[in-house]
Amino acid sequence: MTANTLVGTSSSQTANLDLAPFFSGVALDVTPQLSEGGQIILHIHPTVSNVTSKTLNVTANGVANSLPLAYSEVREADTVVKAMSGQLIVIGGLMQLDKTTRTTRCPAWATSRWSATCSAASRRP
């Protein structure tokens, strides 16, 4: 939403931002039903979401603006399960493996050529 204001011979633009909350985490929606045969029917909908921030650089009318944006990554599944009373139901999936590599070294040694091969350490958590 943008508002324009005209004062004298110059105009200015102000931006009104509408902010909305984002859910980040794990949500589990379960809808149970009982059948005539004594079975339990479960509609299971697990959701895993992760919200991170990104910056959008925009130039309009020669004016550069930097806008913070929310980036939402959502993984979800939808399952219907039938079970008898007392049976165990295990929910799987929606797993994610993140790999990061970090290299560290002593600042005093970092300037010499041979120190990079002798003292560099890599760690994979």
Side-chain angles (χ1 to χ4, degrees), residues 6 33 45 81 113:
L6 182 62
Q33 293 178 336
H45 186 89
V81 178
R113 286 185 183 175

Side-chain angles (χ1 to χ4, degrees), residues 1 16 26 28 30-31 40 53 57 60 70 74 78 81 104 121 124:
M1 180 177 199
N16 295 327
V26 178
L28 181 62
V30 179
T31 306
I40 300 170
S53 64
N57 296 317
V74 179
D78 201 21
V81 178
T104 58
R124 291 186 180 132

Side-chain angles (χ1 to χ4, degrees), residues 32-109:
Q33 293 178 336
L34 295 175
S35 68
E36 292 178 11
Q39 287 185 330
I40 300 170
I41 301 169
L42 297 174
H43 178 213
I44 303 170
H45 186 89
T47 304
V48 179
S49 63
N50 184 25
V51 177
T52 57
S53 64
K54 292 195 175 193
T55 303
L56 176 65
N57 296 317
V58 178
T59 303
N61 297 330
V63 178
N65 291 306
S66 179
L67 301 172
L69 300 176
Y71 175 74
S72 180
E73 177 185 345
V74 179
R75 298 184 319 274
E76 57 188 341
D78 201 21
T79 306
V80 176
V81 178
K82 288 185 180 182
M84 295 300 291
S85 180
Q87 285 185 324
L88 179 67
I89 297 173
V90 178
I91 302 170
L94 301 181
M95 301 290 289
Q96 181 177 1
L97 178 63
D98 291 332
K99 288 185 177 182
T100 58
T101 302
R102 188 172 78 184
T103 303
T104 58
R105 49 180 96 136
C106 179
W109 286 78

